[in-house]
Amino acid sequence: MTLPHHNRRRIATLCLLGALVLYAVSTWYQGRLPALEYVSAFAEAAMIGGIADWFAVTALFRHPLGLKIPHTAIIPRNRARLGRSLSGFIRENFLSEAYVRDSVRRFDVAGALAGWLSRPERRAMVAERLTQAMSTSLSAVRQSAARDFLTRTLRHHLGRINTARLMGSALSVLAAEGRHQVLLDDSLTRLSRWLEVEDNQERVKHFITDTVFKLFNPRVMGREVSMHRLAGWLINERIVEQSARLISEVSDDPDHPLRHHLDRQFADFIEQLRHDPAFARRLDRLRDDLLDNDRLSHYIAGVWEELMDWLARDLKAHDSRSRAWIEHFIEYYARTLEHDAPARDWLNEQAVTLLPALVERNGPRIDAYIQRYLDSLDSDEIVDQIEKNVGNDLQFIRINGTLVGGLIGLTIHAVTQLVLTL
């Protein structure tokens, strides 16, 4: 059982007072009982040791007996230098990149995370905290000042984007190693299957007939001739069926001529994005026109507000779908970490790569934070904190000083008597 600091201080003081009483009694009765001189020697040395250690311990924190003796109240007087030394020591030893990397490498981050998330109540707690954070952030963002600031910032940064270069880089990544063909195959397969369904073919026919061909009704001898019926036949017999057949052929034939034509067109388009200044200027003008289009801006703002309204209601609902999705994702992620060794290895590798560099980069900020915190404390607070954490050990120094001093005094007196008798 650990004694409170003030109790150990009392014990140390009682030891010193006990040595004083023992010295007084043994000295008083030494004439009647000569053997008490050994007790007196012990008590005298114990007092000296106890007083010396009391002075040393007290001098660390304050002036003994209120006397401003040089080299006392060491900690309060040197707190700024001690703060710099402490923060520098922490940064150089505990926050160094090498130490953090070694610590993170020994610590299984992925395993610890998977173990912590294995309990349902913890996953629910994380989901609840994330939901609350999303709701709070959403409320802040939807305030008019924040919304206007974000809108201006977004428009500013979007207006500075090099549209052609961004599109060229994205499409180049997509075209690398034929990845765009994989996307094309998947799209053509899905479209081909969709067009094989007669109901879907009818939808396409009616859409084209009702929305396009009704606009083209030529006049013959002053009378308008409806193209609706002729268009329906053309679409039914030619356009839709031929399109479906062509899409199916391209989807089934990896070496179809249309594929090669699309490849060439795709490559030419990427080159044009990269090296044609005129085309880049046209894209930038299109970007600026879209950003300056008030009707489009109002439409997007309306859609955004509706989405935000729905999300705000859902986050506050008892059966929130957003929270359920977050819980499902966390459960899936925890299960993946638990059973997928490559996923754990990847997460641990990322931790080893990112965390040491992050700590090293922010080391000066942590150093400055520690110094500012220590500077904000007054001397009494610093003394109280140190005494609270190491005060017990310091009081043991006083107790040990009293006892050890007494034993040394007793030994010296005994050796002296022995030498005198020889």
Side-chain angles (χ1 to χ4, degrees):
M1 180 178 178
T2 302
L3 292 175
H5 168 64
H6 60 274
N7 287 344
R8 291 192 176 177
R9 179 183 293 177
R10 290 197 191 100
I11 293 175
T13 303
L14 288 174
C15 287
L16 180 58
L17 292 176
L20 174 62
V21 171
L22 185 61
Y23 175 74
V25 172
S26 60
T27 302
W28 182 266
Y29 289 102
Q30 186 174 332
R32 301 179 186 179
L33 188 61
L36 288 177
E37 65 182 29
Y38 290 92
V39 177
S40 178
F42 171 85
E44 181 180 8
M47 284 193 301
I48 295 172
I51 293 173
D53 285 337
W54 166 82
F55 182 89
V57 170
T58 304
L60 287 173
F61 303 105
R62 53 186 63 86
H63 298 293
L65 301 176
L67 302 175
K68 294 186 177 181
I69 303 171
H71 305 294
T72 59
I74 295 173
I75 292 176
R77 187 163 47 84
N78 296 279
R79 65 172 187 164
R81 180 172 57 84
L82 292 173
R84 290 192 299 270
S85 300
L86 177 62
S87 61
F89 175 79
I90 292 174
R91 179 169 57 85
E92 293 173 6
N93 293 276
F94 298 104
L95 301 180
S96 66
E97 187 172 359
Y99 179 81
V100 174
R101 179 179 293 107
D102 185 59
S103 300
V104 174
R105 185 176 287 113
R106 291 197 306 268
F107 183 69
D108 183 9
V109 175
L113 181 60
W116 193 84
L117 291 175
S118 63
R119 298 176 60 176
E121 62 271 18
R122 290 176 177 169
R123 295 196 298 268
M125 180 188 70
V126 173
E128 181 65 26
R129 296 290 175 80
L130 289 175
T131 303
Q132 292 176 357
M134 289 175 60
S135 181
T136 303
S137 302
L138 184 61
S139 299
V141 169
R142 297 190 69 188
Q143 296 179 6
S144 58
R147 184 175 62 249
D148 293 343
F149 170 75
L150 291 175
T151 301
R152 291 194 304 270
T153 303
L154 182 61
R155 289 172 66 91
H156 172 73
H157 288 290
L158 288 177
R160 300 180 63 182
I161 290 177
N162 189 321
T163 312
R165 181 182 299 173
L166 179 63
M167 291 180 61
S169 300
L171 293 178
S172 296
V173 172
L174 183 63
E177 300 179 1
R179 294 189 183 97
H180 66 297
Q181 288 290 353
V182 177
L183 181 61
L184 178 64
D185 286 342
D186 184 69
S187 301
L188 289 174
T189 300
R190 292 176 183 273
L191 182 58
S192 176
R193 291 175 181 173
W194 190 82
L195 286 174
E196 288 175 358
V197 181
E198 292 186 4
D199 290 343
N200 293 335
Q201 292 183 12
E202 289 298 323
R203 290 191 183 96
V204 174
K205 294 171 189 175
H206 287 301
F207 172 78
I208 298 177
T209 302
D210 294 339
T211 60
V212 178
F213 279 89
K214 279 186 176 181
L215 301 176
F216 301 97
N217 295 327
R219 290 180 175 272
V220 178
M221 299 182 65
R223 297 183 60 184
E224 188 178 83
V225 179
S226 175
M227 298 292 292
H228 189 271
R229 184 175 299 174
L230 176 62
W233 177 81
L234 288 173
I235 294 171
N236 182 38
E237 298 298 331
R238 294 290 182 267
I239 298 177
V240 175
E241 292 181 359
Q242 292 297 330
S243 299
R245 187 177 298 111
L246 176 61
I247 291 172
S248 180
E249 290 175 358
V250 176
S251 176
D252 295 337
D253 185 4
D255 201 36
H256 195 280
L258 184 57
R259 284 180 179 270
H260 297 301
H261 176 71
L262 291 175
D263 273 343
R264 290 191 297 272
Q265 294 294 322
F266 196 67
D268 292 342
F269 183 63
I270 293 175
E271 287 299 312
Q272 191 176 20
L273 287 170
R274 285 179 166 179
H275 305 295
D276 188 344
F279 188 68
R281 286 193 294 271
R282 289 199 297 271
L283 287 177
D284 288 341
R285 283 197 299 271
L286 176 62
R287 176 204 64 201
D288 295 337
D289 290 341
L290 290 174
L291 291 175
D292 295 334
N293 190 311
D294 291 336
R295 294 183 62 184
L296 179 61
S297 298
H298 289 318
Y299 175 77
I300 294 176
V303 173
W304 178 257
E305 283 299 321
E306 290 180 5
L307 178 61
M308 293 298 100
D309 287 339
W310 174 86
L311 184 57
R313 290 192 302 269
D314 181 71
L315 289 173
K316 294 178 180 178
H318 177 71
D319 55 344
S320 170
R321 282 185 282 179
S322 301
R323 183 168 56 244
W325 181 87
I326 293 174
E327 285 190 39
H328 175 73
F329 174 78
I330 295 174
E331 181 181 2
Y332 170 79
Y333 187 70
R335 189 166 58 249
T336 300
L337 287 180
E338 184 178 358
H339 300 291
D340 191 342
R344 289 197 304 275
D345 293 340
W346 178 85
L347 182 58
N348 286 329
E349 289 174 4
Q350 298 305 308
V352 171
T353 302
L354 298 176
L355 291 180
L358 179 64
V359 172
E360 179 73 15
R361 187 164 56 250
N362 291 279
R365 295 187 180 92
I366 299 173
D367 189 351
Y369 172 78
I370 295 174
Q371 290 190 42
R372 284 197 304 271
Y373 174 75
L374 292 176
D375 290 340
S376 68
L377 299 176
D378 60 31
S379 299
D380 292 338
E381 287 179 308
I382 293 177
V383 169
D384 288 342
Q385 289 295 324
I386 296 177
E387 286 189 323
K388 184 184 297 183
N389 289 278
V390 300
N392 285 332
D393 292 327
L394 294 177
Q395 298 309 316
F396 269 124
I397 291 176
R398 291 181 56 194
I399 296 171
N400 292 337
T402 303
L403 298 177
V404 172
L407 293 174
I408 293 175
L410 177 61
T411 302
I412 293 174
H413 181 75
V415 171
T416 302
Q417 293 300 317
L418 179 61
V419 171
L420 292 175
T421 58
L422 293 178

